[in-house]
Amino acid sequence: MNAFTLLPFIVLIAAMFLMTRSAKKKQQQAANMRNEMQPGSGVRTIGGMYATVKEVNEDTVLLDAGPGIDLLFAKNAIGAVLSDDEYNRIVHGIEHDLKSDADIVPDDASSLTETDESADAAAAASDDKAVDLGKKDATEDKADEAAEAPEAKADEEPKKTDGDTDAK
């Protein structure tokens, strides 16, 4: 046999070896994760159910899925052991904010820039005079329309070009 005919078989065997090795590594990591479960840990099952570990046995796990609901699962059915923050965020909707000790920014930014004196001055200024919003009275509108009417009629008439004449 030629060396080139053995090359595909060698590559195939090497690929199979690498795939089984990575699969074994993943299985070992999952087994370690399941062995580290303790009562009180939040978990997600492979079916997508979130629960709290109540009791850990050799091959089984007793989960607390709600008030008065205890479920017995095989250890292999635990898909992930979650951190406390992640479990509370998913199950209870509680966001753990690292900036919780920082000052809270208000929704209204004007409170950040105004003081009591400037707010009082702005309120007093608004009472002094009316603001012109650019609206006209109805009588002024009619007068403007009457003035524009002759110009509009002149524009509406067709204009003659060099080739058009009235003579027949």
Side-chain angles (χ1 to χ4, degrees):
M1 287 179 99
N2 192 347
F4 291 111
T5 56
L6 292 176
L7 186 62
F9 292 113
I10 294 172
V11 170
L12 183 63
I13 292 170
M16 288 174 45
F17 174 74
L18 290 175
M19 284 191 283
T20 57
R21 183 176 168 201
S22 66
K24 284 182 182 180
K25 192 180 277 188
K26 287 181 184 178
Q27 287 176 348
Q28 184 63 37
Q29 288 175 343
N32 289 340
M33 179 243 345
R34 290 181 187 116
N35 289 333
E36 292 175 3
M37 278 188 298
Q38 298 174 1
S41 300
V43 296
R44 182 183 66 237
T45 65
I46 58 174
M49 184 183 72
Y50 293 92
T52 305
V53 176
K54 194 169 187 179
E55 185 179 306
V56 179
N57 299 317
E58 191 172 326
D59 292 331
T60 60
V61 179
L62 185 65
L63 300 179
D64 181 16
I69 302 172
D70 294 338
L71 304 170
L72 187 63
F73 274 82
K75 266 190 177 179
N76 292 340
I78 304 300
V81 177
L82 307 172
S83 67
D84 290 339
D85 290 339
E86 185 177 7
Y87 181 78
N88 287 330
R89 180 183 60 82
I90 293 169
V91 175
H92 303 295
I94 299 171
E95 292 286 337
H96 179 72
D97 189 10
L98 297 175
K99 299 178 183 179
S100 61
D101 297 333
D103 293 335
I104 298 173
V105 178
D107 291 336
D108 183 17
S110 65
S111 65
L112 297 174
T113 57
E114 290 183 359
T115 62
D116 291 338
E117 295 172 5
S118 63
D120 293 340
S126 66
D127 292 340
D128 291 344
K129 56 184 174 181
V131 177
D132 181 22
L133 298 176
K135 293 185 178 180
K136 299 178 182 178
D137 292 337
T139 57
E140 291 178 14
D141 288 343
K142 289 180 184 176
D144 289 344
E145 288 176 10
E148 292 176 5
E151 294 174 10
K153 288 181 182 177
D155 290 341
E156 290 175 7
E157 293 178 12
K159 295 188 178 184
K160 297 179 184 177
T161 58
D162 292 339
D164 292 340
T165 60
D166 287 335
K168 290 188 179 182

